[in-house]
Structures are given as C-alpha cells and as structure tokens.
Amino acid sequence: MVNYMEIKFGMVYDSVVYGIGVTLIEPLNYSSFFNREMIYGYPDDFERFSYFCRASLDYIVKCGKQPDVLHLHNWETAIVGPLFWDIFFNKGLGGTRILLTCHDFNSQGIEQPNKLALCGLDPSNLHQHDRLQDNTNTQFVNILKGGVVYSNRVVIMSSIHPKYTIVRNLSHELEPTLNVHRDKLVVAPYGFEKSTWDPTRDYFLPENFNAENMNGKAVCKVALLQQLGLSEHSSSILIILMNTSEKQVVNQPLESLQEELKDDDNIKFVGAYDEALSHLLFAGSDIILCRSFLDPSDETPLKALRYGAAPIAVGMHTHINRVIPFDRNLMNHDQEATKYSKIINNTFGNISLGLAIDEIRSNPSM
C-alpha cells in the first residue's frame, strides 16, 4: 500500500528572471526532495517530480489561475497529463489544454504502478495498455507514455529527422503509442540564436559573407589557418571534425586519433572550447565532419549549412546506419520532413568524405 504524499505549501515567491515571471513554491514537507546537488539522477526521481507536478497543479487551482496551456517537458513532468484530466480538469481548468515537448525518448520514467498513488492517481485505472502500461515491460507503468496519451499536442524536437523516422526508429518501444496518437504529433527543429550564428553579421568573423558573396569565407579560411598554426597552403580543402559530446566514451577514439597523427603538420587538435574559434571554424571550413545525422539535438549540421560548409557524417557506414538508412525516395515523399532534414538527408545523406572532396574540387561554388 502506497500512501498519498500530502502537499503543504510554505512561502510562495514571485519574481522575474530574464524578463519571465517565475513562481517559487516552498514545500513544508518532503523538502529533502529538492535539497540535492543534481536536478535528476536519483532513485526517488519519480517521487520528487510527481510531488513537484502535483504541487504546481494544486497551486494553480488554489490561486484561481486559468492558464490556456500547461507546457510539459519529457517524462519528468509528463505525469501532469493524467493528473490534469483525472483530478484537476473539473476544478476550474476546463479551458486549459496540455502540450508535451519530448526532447528525446531515451528516458521514459518506468515505475511500479502502485507509485501512482503517491500523487493521488488510481494505479488500477491507469495501468492499462491504452493508458500508462509500458509497451514492453507490462508489469510497469511508463510515465512518458502517459504524457503522450493525456496531452492534446506532442512536440518532438528534431532538426534532422521527419516524424516517420522518429516514430519508427528512435522512439524506444513507444512506436505503438505514437502511431495511435500520430495526429497530435508535431516535429519541431532545434533552434540556435540566429542573430549569433549568422555569417552575414557574425562579429567573431574577420569578414562577413553570404550565399551571394562568398569572398568573406575565403578571408575566414585564411584567418582560421593562421590561428590554428597551419600553413595557408597546407590544403586546398579545410576539413574540421566537430566533437560536441562531453561523454568520455565518445572522446576516446579522438584521443587515439590525436596520438596517431600527432606528428602530422597538416592536422591540428583543439581541446578546449572557445566561442570565437568555434564561429571561425564553421566560417573557414569547407567540410564539417559530424558524428552522425542521427542525433536530433546536434546543431552542427545546421550551423555548417548556414556557414557554407558541407556537413558529412563520419559514421555513415557504421552498423547504426544500416538500421536507420537514409532513403532518398522516402524523404522525397515524406511531407512531414522538416526543411533542414530534407536538405541534409537528400544532399548529404549518402555522401562520403571522398565524394564530398571531389564535389568541392569540381564544383566549389555549389
């Protein structure tokens, strides 16, 4: 038997952070839930986040607020969906709707059904295949699945993949649920600050450029070679390998490569991140090597396109790409693909580094 966690408020603080109104609620009980070094990554994460979600809804009702939209993110706040429709909809929130944004499906919040009672939900009512029951491990509930089922609209963040690819290949066993609720799914590209990453006005560059006038890119290439300590004539084509991951397991191959090529004067490794150099790398490069086109949160291919460099996936021929092929015909007929996914996959999806070099030599302006 799991008992309901009673919600007791202390002080409520209203403030403004970067121009956005923020409300902070002080819990009088279970305060240890929020006195942690990390935001998540603990065995009691479901208890912590479900308490937060229930407390937020209680606060909204007690204050008489009537929001148009409750915007949820990932599994951590997906439980708001079931809570809203099963408990709070008839408490003055009849005009409110639920929007869930999923940044990925890697973490879904798999829990014992009886834990739903902690926030006042009925486990027997929700532990069903068309509600929160996990599609693979049916003895558990899947909190992210519940968010999808109980939301009016679901936004999936991906700058590269169309809806078809995400649902079929990247949903981690949620494919049946996403297919049932396909009409509420929307794919939205990740964004980066366009005023910051814009070669026409990028103040980090020695000279700006655009698609109609690429002279500035040649200036940036010379400046980049000088800053890296490479000869201006060391290569007619400058290739940059961008490693955007902080995970040590990903960096090990790069460290091995660096050791192998340490005596090559035409190669330079830059370990520490430098904002100005990062802009110059995109602006001065002809080709940007990416880990793959499979990471929907990786902005590297998009920035490469914006700065006139060809994004090439170095892992194109690894086993994972045989699971998720870049099918040009599929992309041409998939109207759900984002603009960038069409450009990247149709143009660069099957191009190797050697072919890219040949293309640049034979048709550099293109």
Side-chain angles (χ1 to χ4, degrees), residues 215-279:
N215 293 334
K217 188 171 180 67
V219 175
C220 292
K221 183 174 182 178
V222 171
L224 177 59
L225 290 170
Q226 291 175 344
Q227 186 163 340
L228 294 179
L230 298 172
S231 168
E232 295 182 22
H233 306 289
S234 62
S235 174
S236 60
I237 298 176
L238 184 60
I239 303 170
I240 301 294
L241 172 61
M242 301 294 291
N243 178 39
T244 58
S245 175
E246 296 179 356
K247 296 180 180 179
Q248 188 65 27
V249 67
V250 178
N251 289 337
Q252 286 174 351
L254 288 180
E255 293 172 357
S256 300
L257 182 63
Q258 182 174 1
E259 178 64 25
E260 180 181 347
L261 301 175
K262 63 181 180 181
D263 296 326
D264 193 322
D265 294 334
N266 290 326
I267 294 177
K268 178 74 173 180
F269 287 86
V270 181
Y273 180 81
D274 180 284
E275 181 72 13
L277 178 58
S278 180
H279 285 249

Side-chain angles (χ1 to χ4, degrees), residues 18-85:
Y18 294 111
I20 299 173
V22 175
T23 298
L24 303 177
I25 304 173
E26 179 186 25
L28 290 182
N29 50 354
Y30 299 98
S31 59
S32 63
F33 281 172
F34 310 102
N35 188 19
R36 310 284 177 89
E37 293 183 358
M38 301 183 297
I39 296 176
Y40 46 75
Y42 298 98
D44 61 348
D45 273 354
F46 175 74
E47 289 87 336
R48 299 171 63 236
F49 282 103
S50 61
Y51 183 98
F52 166 76
C53 293
R54 176 69 193 242
S56 299
L57 290 169
D58 280 344
Y59 167 79
I60 289 172
V61 170
K62 289 179 180 180
C63 292
K65 297 179 181 292
Q66 295 179 321
D68 296 313
V69 176
L70 293 177
H71 190 183
L72 323 179
H73 288 265
N74 302 324
W75 81 263
E76 286 84 357
T77 52
I79 199 66
V80 167
L83 280 170
F84 175 82
W85 293 107

Side-chain angles (χ1 to χ4, degrees), residues 198-209 214-227 275-285 307:
D198 182 355
T200 66
R201 51 179 175 173
D202 191 330
Y203 61 84
F204 286 116
L205 306 184
E207 186 172 322
N208 297 118
F209 59 93
M214 296 285 285
N215 293 334
K217 188 171 180 67
V219 175
C220 292
K221 183 174 182 178
V222 171
L224 177 59
L225 290 170
Q226 291 175 344
Q227 186 163 340
E275 181 72 13
L277 178 58
S278 180
H279 285 249
L280 190 58
L281 285 170
F282 281 101
S285 299
Y307 280 73

